[in-house]
Amino acid sequence: MIEIRRAREEDADAIREMFHLAYGDDYFYPQYYNVQSLKRMILSDDTLFLVAEDTKTGAILGTASVLLEVGAHADLVAEFGRLVVHPEGRGQGIGGKLMQARVEFVQDRLHVGMVENRSAHEFSQRISHQHGFHPVGLLPDKFKLGERESAALYVRHFGQALELRRNHPHLIPEIYPLARLALENCQLTCDAIIEAEPRAYPHVEQFQIQEMESELYPVLLRFERGRIKQREIFGRMRLHYGLFQLRASHAQYLVAYRDDIMVGAIGYTVDENERTGKIFELVSLDDTPIYYLVSELVRRCQAEGQIDYLEADVNAYSPQMQQTFLENGFLPAAYIPAMVFNNVERLDVVRMVNLLTSWNGDSLQVYEVGRPVASLVDESLTLKNVLPQLIQTVKSAPLFAGLSEEQQQYVAASAELESLQAGEVLFRPDDPADKIRVIISGEVEIQNCHSQTVGTIGPDESLGDLASISDQTHRVSALVKAPGQAMLFSREELVQLVHTRPDIGMILFRNFSRELAEKLQRMNVHTLFKQD
């Protein structure tokens, strides 16, 4: 018979052995391999440790923990830590029993419980879902287990958490699709408001940067306490927790000065074993140093090469901060409803991630309920690898003439990169006209229904735009004559883009008309329409 009970000091050796069996020598939290560290966690009021014991043999066959008070200001947020089952205990439902026991032990102490499930297999994701947790994100390559591994983030709300949630978050367009899925997964109506023309904080660079030393702590503390602006970045650490606790948590600050006057600071923690970083605080005298502090931290992380993964929890009601992080390479990886307290309400949070290594999502094993969320994050990361090339095409193609820099980035982020192979037929007469392409490189030959060439499409020219807009089928064929690449939009993506950003839609339709006129002048119009 299996009994679930609180762990005792004498269980530390068995717990350590289970983690070693499960993860080998590469576990990213080394304290679980240290018996004294395990004993301290077992005795701590901030950690609940459970074990599954075989009452006949006395063997410990499973363990699970809950890290309480992981949010700042007693946000009533807890992280359901790693759940491990001994090889000899598998197939007995121990994982489910441990998860259920964790929920029963802590549900009266929480508003929000989070689980970062491994994505190498579906086991923990399935257990989380079966016990009321919902998928809200994918944290790409967050864990270091030999190779880097992603985490599927699941959330469950307790008590009055959702009753206290503030309505109508204001989101930049890149975050909205993920937010909609996460809210619906948590059985909430998507009430988000899209900021049609988001603006980042101003690009100002005349600052001097200094890393915080001990003697600077009192000055920075007084500076922070004098700030009354609404918090836009959240984390479990705060400057006023004390210098000792900041040091113990490997917290660091970059402090910005202008004319020898302190004007802002950004706080972050670094886990050298895991090669990850987390921004937990950003304070400023005014708006001017914010963008520079974020970009300078990213620049240092890239230059020093000590961090592969950098994340920040951004206020879902602050689109200006969201846009600032987006422009500095961060992408939305999770959307957590009602995560933090603010006055008398709970605020939604966007977890934004800057992956400083290359992304390859081929090894993901995502449980079926979480696949739509994981796919969105995967697509964003894949796009990030090719985004500079797509932006360059947007800047040079006549179809996008007249777009502002912000509009160019938005259009590029709505597209895909497509490879064109010589001899490939992109479409034939009567095929659905459901895609628009802008040729980046290579050449496409246009043929009528008698296989006669009526024209060619080359770099920076569009293909399929008129048919897609008019919701028609194609009347000609398109054959790749020289291999290359294309910028690809589906009709649905284009309709969504125009609906979300009518300012962009007006410019595109104007350019569609102009480009069509130029094509008709260049091609044999008679042949195109008479014989097709």
Side-chain angles (χ1 to χ4, degrees):
M1 181 177 176
I2 302 299
E3 177 190 5
I4 308 298
R5 60 168 174 80
R6 282 182 178 269
R8 299 188 285 262
E9 282 189 81
E10 56 266 30
D11 298 323
D13 285 308
I15 293 172
R16 186 199 64 79
E17 179 187 358
M18 274 189 291
F19 275 91
H20 196 273
L21 287 172
Y23 299 109
D25 296 325
D26 297 319
Y27 192 47
F28 39 86
Y29 293 129
Q31 62 266 36
Y32 286 87
Y33 287 180
N34 183 290
V35 173
Q36 294 304 316
S37 295
L38 283 170
K39 288 181 178 179
R40 284 195 292 270
M41 286 191 286
I42 289 170
L43 296 174
S44 170
D45 291 335
D46 294 333
T47 304
L48 169 70
F49 241 114
L50 301 179
V51 294
E53 180 182 8
D54 185 329
T55 55
K56 291 184 178 180
T57 65
I60 302 299
L61 298 179
T63 184
S65 60
V66 181
L67 308 179
L68 300 162
E69 301 298 339
V70 299
H73 288 311
D75 280 337
L76 302 180
V77 178
E79 181 178 336
F80 284 61
R82 199 63 52 218
L83 188 157
V84 180
V85 177
H86 195 284
E88 295 178 3
R90 292 173 185 167
Q92 301 181 45
I94 291 175
K97 292 177 181 178
L98 282 166
M99 176 60 89
Q100 182 61 36
R102 285 195 291 185
V103 170
E104 292 173 355
F105 267 101
V106 302
Q107 60 186 350
D108 294 335
R109 299 177 61 180
L110 299 183
H111 274 179
V112 182
M114 300 189 295
V115 189
E116 294 182 354
N117 299 289
R118 293 186 64 188
S119 64
H121 49 71
E122 299 181 7
F123 173 71
S124 61
Q125 301 170 53
R126 186 169 62 250
I127 288 178
S128 294
H129 179 65
Q130 290 171 348
H131 290 83
F133 289 77
H134 308 292
V136 296
L138 178 76
L139 308 180
D141 289 352
K142 180 171 184 178
F143 300 145
K144 189 173 183 296
L145 287 163
E147 300 296 326
R148 300 206 71 86
E149 184 180 311
S150 302
L153 183 63
Y154 279 58
V155 166
R156 176 172 171 176
H157 294 91
F158 299 88
Q160 296 179 314
L162 296 181
E163 296 176 33
L164 295 173
R165 174 180 175 264
R166 182 193 293 182
N167 296 327
H168 305 300
H170 286 247
L171 305 173
I172 62 176
E174 290 80 1
I175 292 174
Y176 177 80
L178 179 61
R180 179 180 57 81
L181 273 178
L183 288 166
E184 291 174 354
N185 286 345
C186 295
Q187 284 79 58
L188 293 168
T189 301
C190 181
D191 58 349
I193 298 171
I194 300 175
E195 289 290 321
E197 298 185 52
R199 295 289 184 269
Y201 281 104
H203 296 228
V204 182
E205 297 191 357
Q206 63 263 32
F207 301 101
Q208 299 80 47
I209 296 294
Q210 177 181 342
E211 294 186 10
M212 188 182 76
E213 304 292 342
S214 297
E215 61 271 15
L216 186 59
Y217 174 76
V219 181
L220 185 56
L221 183 60
R222 286 195 297 272
F223 174 88
E224 186 202 37
R225 284 177 172 167
R227 302 298 297 129
I228 58 174
K229 187 175 179 179
Q230 174 180 308
R231 290 179 64 202
E232 295 179 292
I233 302 296
F234 302 104
R236 63 180 302 181
M237 296 299 302
R238 292 298 304 277
L239 183 63
H240 66 251
Y241 277 17
L243 185 59
F244 176 79
Q245 188 169 354
L246 289 170
R247 284 177 169 172
S249 301
H250 304 286
Q252 305 175 39
Y253 277 81
L254 296 181
V255 184
Y257 289 86
R258 181 174 55 221
D259 300 328
D260 296 324
I261 298 174
M262 184 185 298
V263 293
I266 187 168
Y268 62 102
T269 57
V270 174
D271 188 321
E272 295 178 355
N273 293 316
E274 205 173 343
R275 295 178 61 87
T276 62
K278 184 176 181 67
I279 300 172
F280 62 84
E281 189 167 32
L282 202 164
V283 293
S284 63
L285 183 66
D286 53 41
D287 289 350
T288 56
I290 293 174
Y291 196 103
Y292 185 75
L293 282 166
V294 176
S295 60
E296 177 63 15
L297 177 57
V298 172
R299 187 195 67 77
R300 293 187 179 210
C301 290
Q302 291 172 329
E304 295 170 4
Q306 300 299 312
I307 295 178
D308 296 331
Y309 172 100
L310 183 63
E311 73 175 22
D313 286 342
V314 181
N315 192 326
Y317 308 81
S318 301
Q320 197 168 17
M321 186 64 79
Q322 299 162 23
Q323 184 69 23
T324 296
F325 272 82
L326 184 76
E327 292 184 14
N328 280 284
F330 289 80
L331 296 174
Y335 189 89
I336 309 166
M339 178 176 168
V340 300
F341 262 133
N342 182 68
N343 297 324
V344 295
E345 298 176 300
R346 299 198 70 92
L347 305 181
D348 294 359
V349 164
V350 185
R351 181 159 296 176
M352 302 189 72
V353 170
N354 194 335
L355 190 61
L356 302 176
T357 60
S358 59
W359 165 249
N360 183 354
D362 293 343
S363 62
L364 287 176
Q365 297 291 324
V366 181
Y367 187 48
E368 56 183 350
V369 298
R371 287 172 192 163
V373 167
S375 295
L376 269 182
V377 178
D378 178 43
E379 290 169 6
S380 296
L381 290 162
T382 302
L383 175 62
K384 182 182 179 182
N385 293 335
V386 300
L387 193 57
Q389 186 176 1
L390 294 177
I391 290 176
Q392 185 56 46
T393 300
V394 172
K395 289 181 177 180
S396 60
L399 180 60
F400 308 116
L403 294 176
S404 68
E405 182 177 347
E406 182 275 326
Q407 290 171 329
Q408 290 172 352
Q409 292 180 342
Y410 188 85
V411 169
S414 303
E416 300 176 37
L417 185 66
E418 179 185 39
S419 295
L420 305 177
Q421 307 298 324
E424 178 184 1
V425 178
L426 300 180
F427 53 78
R428 294 183 172 87
D430 298 324
D431 282 351
D434 56 359
K435 294 181 177 65
I436 293 178
R437 295 174 171 87
V438 178
I439 305 304
I440 298 174
S441 59
E443 190 175 57
V444 178
E445 189 175 85
I446 306 301
Q447 299 177 347
N448 63 18
C449 58
H450 303 293
S451 299
Q452 296 173 326
T453 299
V454 295
T456 58
I457 303 295
D460 290 339
E461 294 183 311
S462 58
L463 176 66
D465 43 3
L466 179 62
S468 292
I469 292 172
S470 57
D471 200 23
Q472 297 176 354
T473 57
H474 289 289
R475 295 193 293 169
V476 294
S477 296
L479 177 70
V480 178
K481 187 176 181 180
Q485 293 178 313
M487 188 175 185
L488 178 67
F489 299 87
S490 70
R491 179 193 291 141
E492 290 75 15
E493 289 168 337
L494 182 64
V495 169
Q496 179 64 30
L497 187 153
V498 172
H499 175 74
T500 305
R501 295 294 301 270
D503 56 318
I504 295 176
M506 290 179 62
I507 296 174
L508 292 183
F509 281 120
R510 181 194 67 198
N511 293 340
F512 282 147
S513 301
R514 181 181 301 162
E515 189 166 345
L516 175 61
E518 293 174 356
K519 287 178 184 176
L520 293 178
Q521 289 177 6
R522 191 176 69 239
M523 294 180 180
N524 185 331
V525 180
H526 243 3
T527 304
L528 178 62
F529 287 97
K530 188 174 181 179
Q531 297 192 30
D532 184 17

